[in-house]
Amino acid sequence: MRLLRYFLFRVLQMFPIALFIVVINFALIHMAPGDVSILLAGEGADPDYMASVRESYGLDKPLIQQLGAYIGQLLQGDLGLSFRTREPVIDIIAERVPATLLLAGTALVLASVLGVLVGTVMARRPGSALDAAVTTISISLFSIPVFWLGLMLILLFAVTLRWLPSSGMMSVAGPREGLAYGLDVARHMILPVLSLTAVWLGQYVRLSRSSVSETLAEPYVTTARAIGFSERRVMTGFALRNALLPIVTVLGLELGLLLSGAVLTETVFSWPGLGRLIYEAILSRDTPVIMGAFLIMSFTVMLAALLTDLLYATLDPRVRL
Amino acid sequence: MNPTVIKTIRATARSWTGVLSLALLLVIAAAALAAPVLGLPDPADMAFDLYQPPGAAHWLGTDNFGRDIFARVVWGARVALIVAIGAALLSILIGSALGAVAGYFGGWVDGLLSRVFDIFLLIPTFFLILLIVALFGASLPLTIVAIALTTWPRSARLMRSQVLTLKSRVYVQAALAAGAPHWWVILRHVIPNGIAPIVTDGTILMGMAILTEAGLSFLGLGDQNMVSWGSMIFEGQRHLRLAPWMSIAPGVALLVLVASLNLLGDSVNFAMNPQLRTRGGAPKRRRGVAPPADEPAATAGAPILQVTDLRLEYAAGDRRIAAVDGVSFSLPRGGSLGIVGESGCGKSSLGSALLQTMPNNAELTGGTIRYDGRAIVLDGKPVIEGGRSRIEALRWTRMATIFQSAMNALNPVTTVRRQMVDTLRLHRPGMTRDEATARIGEVFDMIGIPRSRMNAYPHQLSGGMRQRAMIALSLILEPELVIADEPTTALDMLIQDQILGEIADLRERLNLSLILVSHDMGAVAESCETVAVMYAGRIVEIAPTRRIFDRPAHPYSRTLISALPSLTGPLETLDSLPATGSAAAEGGCRFAHACPAATALCRSTPPPAVQLGGNHVAECHYAEEFAAEPVDAAEPTATEEACA
């Protein structure tokens, strides 16, 4: 009950944010140099389509009505047509989402699980030489430009050693079903997942190292030890359980940052996801697609923040309305 | 320069990562500044020797247009630094200003602005920048502005929380009271004092800005008129197989610059908060000893706890601080002892030593603790028997503690019942959940917590109830000895009194032995038969409660007693004391520096333990004289009830 109310409240709070993002998008289009109708329809669109765009977005009306028309279009799921393929932007994006989810999701799970593990182990031995070394390595890891790491991995494992494919999601003439297909995709995933995981891992190690060491200094941990709980239980039931709260928060807040890494990685590995789509759109100046991708990414991040809040509320009984 | 800044710089300079990263940053900045005068080939100069691998003529080789990669990397540093400094400065400027306003004015201004910060934090930065650059065309200044526009909420939130703590400070309030306008107070007092963590965060902002610009350039959205590392990698990518050096060098440069910035920020952060590096941790493994061979079997008459010459030291940097410096006492079964002293006198360290829950930087350096006649600590080392330290066998089943519950002594994310069930089942593995719940109900009834509160989380209980829950937890396994460490601090007077009364009552009913650690002489008087007064790591006086209030023999105890406000007597000026200083000097009496009656003898010779008869001992040269004259404070009424 408490959770449901909390959840509904948070959902309501998302509306102004969504509106704000849409307004930013709208403002940017109007502030950008060049004709708004060209930005919305794409360069070289045929006159009929151009006219229909003018009509549906109400481009000859006052700005506030245009904003209304724009929001109306968005509410119908209409993000316009890609100027390159003439397909609805929403369909193009939807088609690319699974690949991105597969790549980013795998890397996210790997990085967060490994990161929390390593960070927790380090928090148990603060100030040791190993702790200092791991700290330095984690900082270096998240200082690597992820796209460059991808290139270097390609150089080593695909070009020099020839162990793994360098691009794409599946082999050109490879299997398209069954276990063999899965393995083929997995082989293609190794390098991009490795690049993303490496860069994100640094963040999670640092984050969990600091939040676990913080909870380990809390009085309830002393109580648990005085009671005689084994160190394993002290760690899981008390230290890590409480440390998860800040970890989850940051995880949700930084999703936007993570997605940018995914875009760059997809570009390097020609992974057929959203990131690659954005890259192609930039190259061909396909503004409707870029704007659509921005909106979708924003809403994804908002949704992630919402889920994070909900997860946080289930983890922390202190959260109240 | 202000001393914290100097201290921070010194501490940073002591860590090798700090020095290394600073040195690297200086080299990169110098190279970037000096790029035009270094005599490098023109980075845009195309030559015929395309795709030259690194060698003597071109240190890092040439690219697909025959341009010298080394020269391009050096020139690229300029772009990276311009982006870093420009975006970070702009972001800090906007962020601190708005953050300061939000924190300073509070109310609806804060509500509105905080909401705006939150919204901006939810916008996927990189994609917004991407959109801005895609719509407005790629140029370096626009990239900088776009990055700053998406990173400023970070600085704003930091500044806001800084200001919230700063605005209650005396100097800010004083300036306002003196009639200074708000904008002046913000500019003159608030921002300069709150800026430190924001500047530290600035190094991280710079790293983020550089990576963002590199990412944009890599997507082909870089400024075409500039040499940027990101765009070098963008070009290099297409020639990865033919000329890998084209991508390797700028990537290494990016990594080194960004890692240096992040490492520097990290070192400064640690220098400002050194405890970040060492706090927490797993409990230190301490070398144990075997029980003494000639140990007599536990006898009925043995005191439940006997402490002899116990010493505990903290390591703080290179210094060692003796928090407990030769403490001895003995507690008979069923007895109660109050340990009183000001904060920092070592009373809580003593408590943690008894339970062996000291923090990792504390070490028992000597002394013996016997429980029921059996040594649990010998010469400062835990006694191990049959592979298990003896204290472990005593924990909670025979010896429990009551911590100050206001301080998160209970796990905030589990219900009170769950914590008690877990504790019960840990020590009584066969117990069913129902049995455990029944036992908890019993203890709750005994302590006066309604059973309906069992399923509450700690934060849902009032301060007094939470403290009672802590007491319930400590009694759940029917221990013989309870050590209560400041159990009533942070509670209001009325509740304090109730809880102390309940502890005294329970002690009698359950025949508990009790050690009560407190800074409050009155609290101890109410629930203990014996009082030990601690000062600077030693028990300076120990005596039956009645006796110490009637005839305190140590000037420090006398001050503590006359510092008690009387509820019934006439109003008097309360005595106060100078803090325990390092002046607790070697050689003389520890209290001499603050003692109103100190003589030359006190400053030169440590006082002996003077036996005053009737279990009354005081470490003062003039103990007998002091004991002869009664203290002139009204006696606390509570004493009479408890000790009569």
Coordinates of all heavy atoms in Angstrom, one line a residue, chain B residues 149-188:
Chain B
L149 N 26.0 23.5 -19.6 CA 24.5 23.6 -19.4 C 24.0 22.3 -18.9 O 22.9 22.2 -18.2 CB 23.8 23.8 -20.7 CG 23.6 25.3 -21.1 CD1 22.9 25.5 -22.4 CD2 22.9 26.0 -20.0
T150 N 24.7 21.2 -19.1 CA 24.1 19.9 -18.6 C 24.9 19.4 -17.3 O 24.4 18.5 -16.7 CB 24.3 18.8 -19.7 OG1 25.6 18.7 -20.1 CG2 23.4 19.1 -20.9
T151 N 26.0 20.1 -17.0 CA 26.7 19.6 -15.8 C 26.5 20.5 -14.6 O 26.8 20.1 -13.5 CB 28.2 19.4 -16.0 OG1 28.7 20.6 -16.7 CG2 28.5 18.2 -16.9
W152 N 26.0 21.7 -14.8 CA 25.9 22.7 -13.7 C 25.1 22.2 -12.5 O 25.4 22.5 -11.3 CB 25.4 24.0 -14.1 CG 24.0 24.1 -14.6 CD1 23.6 23.9 -15.9 CD2 22.8 24.3 -13.8 NE1 22.2 23.9 -15.9 CE2 21.7 24.2 -14.7 CE3 22.6 24.5 -12.4 CZ2 20.4 24.3 -14.2 CZ3 21.3 24.6 -12.0 CH2 20.2 24.5 -12.9
P153 N 24.0 21.4 -12.7 CA 23.3 21.0 -11.5 C 24.1 20.2 -10.4 O 23.9 20.2 -9.3 CB 22.2 20.0 -12.0 CG 22.1 20.4 -13.5 CD 23.4 20.8 -13.9
R154 N 25.2 19.5 -10.9 CA 26.1 18.9 -10.0 C 26.7 19.9 -9.0 O 26.7 19.7 -7.8 CB 27.3 18.3 -10.8 CG 27.5 16.8 -10.7 CD 28.7 16.5 -11.6 NE 29.8 16.1 -10.8 CZ 30.1 14.8 -10.5 NH1 29.3 13.9 -11.0 NH2 31.1 14.5 -9.7
S155 N 27.3 21.0 -9.6 CA 27.9 22.0 -8.7 C 26.8 22.6 -7.8 O 27.0 23.0 -6.7 CB 28.6 23.1 -9.5 OG 29.4 22.5 -10.5
A156 N 25.6 22.8 -8.5 CA 24.6 23.5 -7.7 C 24.1 22.7 -6.5 O 24.0 23.3 -5.4 CB 23.4 23.7 -8.7
R157 N 24.0 21.4 -6.7 CA 23.6 20.6 -5.5 C 24.6 20.6 -4.4 O 24.3 20.7 -3.3 CB 23.3 19.2 -6.0 CG 21.8 19.1 -6.5 CD 21.6 17.9 -7.3 NE 21.8 16.6 -6.6 CZ 20.9 15.7 -6.4 NH1 19.6 16.0 -6.8 NH2 21.2 14.6 -5.8
L158 N 25.9 20.5 -4.9 CA 27.0 20.5 -3.9 C 26.9 21.8 -3.1 O 27.0 21.9 -1.9 CB 28.3 20.4 -4.6 CG 28.9 19.0 -4.7 CD1 30.2 19.1 -5.6 CD2 29.2 18.4 -3.4
M159 N 26.8 23.0 -3.9 CA 26.9 24.3 -3.2 C 25.7 24.4 -2.3 O 25.8 25.0 -1.2 CB 26.9 25.4 -4.3 CG 27.1 26.8 -3.7 SD 28.4 27.0 -2.5 CE 29.5 28.0 -3.4
R160 N 24.5 23.9 -2.7 CA 23.3 24.1 -1.9 C 23.5 23.4 -0.6 O 23.3 24.0 0.5 CB 22.1 23.5 -2.6 CG 20.9 23.5 -1.8 CD 19.7 22.9 -2.5 NE 18.6 22.7 -1.6 CZ 18.5 21.6 -0.9 NH1 19.3 20.6 -1.0 NH2 17.4 21.5 0.0
S161 N 24.1 22.2 -0.6 CA 24.2 21.5 0.7 C 25.3 22.2 1.6 O 25.2 22.2 2.8 CB 24.5 20.0 0.5 OG 25.7 19.9 -0.1
Q162 N 26.3 22.7 0.9 CA 27.3 23.5 1.7 C 26.7 24.7 2.4 O 27.0 25.0 3.5 CB 28.4 24.0 0.7 CG 29.4 22.9 0.3 CD 30.4 22.6 1.4 OE1 31.0 23.5 1.9 NE2 30.5 21.4 1.8
V163 N 25.9 25.4 1.6 CA 25.3 26.6 2.1 C 24.4 26.3 3.3 O 24.3 27.0 4.3 CB 24.6 27.4 1.0 CG1 23.8 28.6 1.6 CG2 25.6 27.9 0.0
L164 N 23.6 25.2 3.1 CA 22.7 24.9 4.2 C 23.4 24.7 5.5 O 22.9 25.1 6.6 CB 22.0 23.6 3.8 CG 20.8 23.7 2.8 CD1 20.2 22.4 2.5 CD2 19.8 24.7 3.3
T165 N 24.7 24.1 5.5 CA 25.4 24.0 6.7 C 26.0 25.3 7.1 O 26.2 25.6 8.3 CB 26.5 22.9 6.7 OG1 27.3 23.1 5.5 CG2 25.9 21.5 6.6
L166 N 26.4 26.1 6.1 CA 27.2 27.3 6.4 C 26.3 28.4 7.0 O 26.7 29.2 7.8 CB 27.9 27.9 5.2 CG 29.2 27.2 4.8 CD1 29.6 27.7 3.4 CD2 30.2 27.5 5.8
K167 N 25.1 28.5 6.6 CA 24.3 29.7 6.9 C 23.9 29.8 8.3 O 23.6 30.9 8.8 CB 23.1 29.8 6.0 CG 21.9 29.0 6.4 CD 20.7 29.3 5.5 CE 19.6 28.3 5.7 NZ 18.5 28.5 4.8
S168 N 24.1 28.7 9.1 CA 23.8 28.8 10.5 C 25.1 29.1 11.3 O 25.0 29.3 12.5 CB 23.2 27.5 11.0 OG 24.1 26.4 10.7
R169 N 26.2 29.2 10.6 CA 27.4 29.5 11.3 C 27.4 31.0 11.9 O 26.7 31.8 11.3 CB 28.6 29.5 10.3 CG 28.9 28.1 9.8 CD 29.8 27.3 10.8 NE 29.8 25.9 10.5 CZ 30.5 25.3 9.6 NH1 31.4 26.0 8.9 NH2 30.5 24.0 9.4
V170 N 28.2 31.1 12.9 CA 28.1 32.4 13.7 C 28.5 33.6 12.8 O 27.8 34.6 12.8 CB 29.1 32.3 14.9 CG1 29.1 33.6 15.6 CG2 28.7 31.2 15.8
Y171 N 29.6 33.4 12.0 CA 30.0 34.6 11.2 C 29.0 35.1 10.2 O 28.9 36.3 9.9 CB 31.4 34.4 10.6 CG 31.6 33.2 9.7 CD1 31.2 33.3 8.4 CD2 32.1 32.0 10.2 CE1 31.4 32.2 7.6 CE2 32.3 30.9 9.5 CZ 31.9 31.0 8.1 OH 32.1 29.9 7.3
V172 N 28.3 34.1 9.6 CA 27.2 34.5 8.7 C 26.1 35.2 9.4 O 25.7 36.3 9.0 CB 26.7 33.3 7.9 CG1 25.5 33.6 7.0 CG2 27.8 32.6 7.1
Q173 N 25.7 34.6 10.5 CA 24.6 35.3 11.3 C 25.1 36.6 11.8 O 24.3 37.6 11.8 CB 24.3 34.4 12.5 CG 23.6 33.1 12.1 CD 22.3 33.3 11.3 OE1 21.5 34.2 11.6 NE2 22.1 32.5 10.3
A174 N 26.3 36.7 12.2 CA 26.8 38.0 12.7 C 26.8 39.1 11.6 O 26.4 40.2 11.8 CB 28.3 37.8 13.2
A175 N 27.2 38.7 10.4 CA 27.2 39.6 9.3 C 25.8 40.1 9.0 O 25.6 41.3 8.7 CB 27.9 39.0 8.0
L176 N 24.9 39.2 9.0 CA 23.5 39.5 8.8 C 23.0 40.5 9.8 O 22.3 41.5 9.6 CB 22.6 38.3 8.7 CG 22.6 37.6 7.4 CD1 21.8 36.3 7.5 CD2 22.1 38.4 6.2
A177 N 23.3 40.1 11.1 CA 22.8 40.9 12.2 C 23.4 42.3 12.1 O 22.8 43.3 12.5 CB 23.2 40.3 13.5
A178 N 24.6 42.4 11.6 CA 25.2 43.8 11.4 C 24.6 44.5 10.3 O 25.0 45.7 10.0 CB 26.7 43.6 11.2
G179 N 23.7 44.0 9.6 CA 22.9 44.7 8.6 C 23.5 44.6 7.2 O 23.1 45.3 6.3
A180 N 24.4 43.6 6.9 CA 24.9 43.4 5.6 C 23.8 42.9 4.7 O 23.0 42.1 5.1 CB 26.1 42.4 5.6
P181 N 23.8 43.3 3.4 CA 22.7 42.8 2.5 C 23.0 41.3 2.1 O 24.2 40.9 2.2 CB 22.9 43.7 1.3 CG 24.2 44.3 1.4 CD 24.6 44.3 2.8
H182 N 21.9 40.6 1.7 CA 22.1 39.2 1.4 C 23.1 38.9 0.4 O 23.9 38.0 0.5 CB 20.7 38.7 1.0 CG 19.7 38.6 2.1 ND1 19.9 37.8 3.2 CD2 18.5 39.1 2.2 CE1 18.9 37.9 4.0 NE2 18.0 38.7 3.4
W183 N 23.1 39.7 -0.7 CA 24.0 39.4 -1.8 C 25.5 39.5 -1.3 O 26.3 38.7 -1.7 CB 23.8 40.2 -3.0 CG 24.0 41.7 -2.8 CD1 23.1 42.6 -2.4 CD2 25.2 42.4 -2.9 NE1 23.6 43.9 -2.3 CE2 25.0 43.8 -2.5 CE3 26.6 42.1 -3.2 CZ2 26.0 44.7 -2.5 CZ3 27.5 43.0 -3.2 CH2 27.2 44.4 -2.8
W184 N 25.7 40.4 -0.4 CA 27.0 40.6 0.1 C 27.5 39.4 1.0 O 28.6 38.9 0.9 CB 27.1 42.0 0.9 CG 28.3 42.1 1.8 CD1 28.4 41.9 3.1 CD2 29.6 42.5 1.3 NE1 29.6 42.1 3.5 CE2 30.4 42.5 2.5 CE3 30.2 42.8 0.1 CZ2 31.8 42.8 2.4 CZ3 31.5 43.1 0.0 CH2 32.3 43.1 1.2
V185 N 26.5 39.0 1.8 CA 26.8 37.9 2.7 C 27.1 36.6 1.9 O 28.1 35.9 2.1 CB 25.7 37.6 3.7 CG1 25.9 36.4 4.5 CG2 25.5 38.8 4.6
I186 N 26.3 36.4 0.8 CA 26.5 35.3 -0.1 C 27.9 35.3 -0.7 O 28.7 34.4 -0.7 CB 25.4 35.2 -1.2 CG1 24.1 34.9 -0.5 CG2 25.8 34.1 -2.2 CD1 23.0 34.7 -1.5
L187 N 28.2 36.5 -1.3 CA 29.5 36.6 -2.0 C 30.7 36.6 -1.1 O 31.7 36.0 -1.4 CB 29.5 37.9 -2.8 CG 28.8 37.9 -4.2 CD1 28.9 39.2 -4.9 CD2 29.3 36.8 -5.0
R188 N 30.5 37.3 0.0 CA 31.7 37.5 0.9 C 31.9 36.3 1.8 O 33.1 35.9 2.1 CB 31.5 38.8 1.7 CG 32.6 39.2 2.6 CD 33.8 39.7 1.8 NE 35.0 39.8 2.7 CZ 35.7 38.8 3.1 NH1 35.4 37.6 2.7 NH2 36.7 39.0 3.9

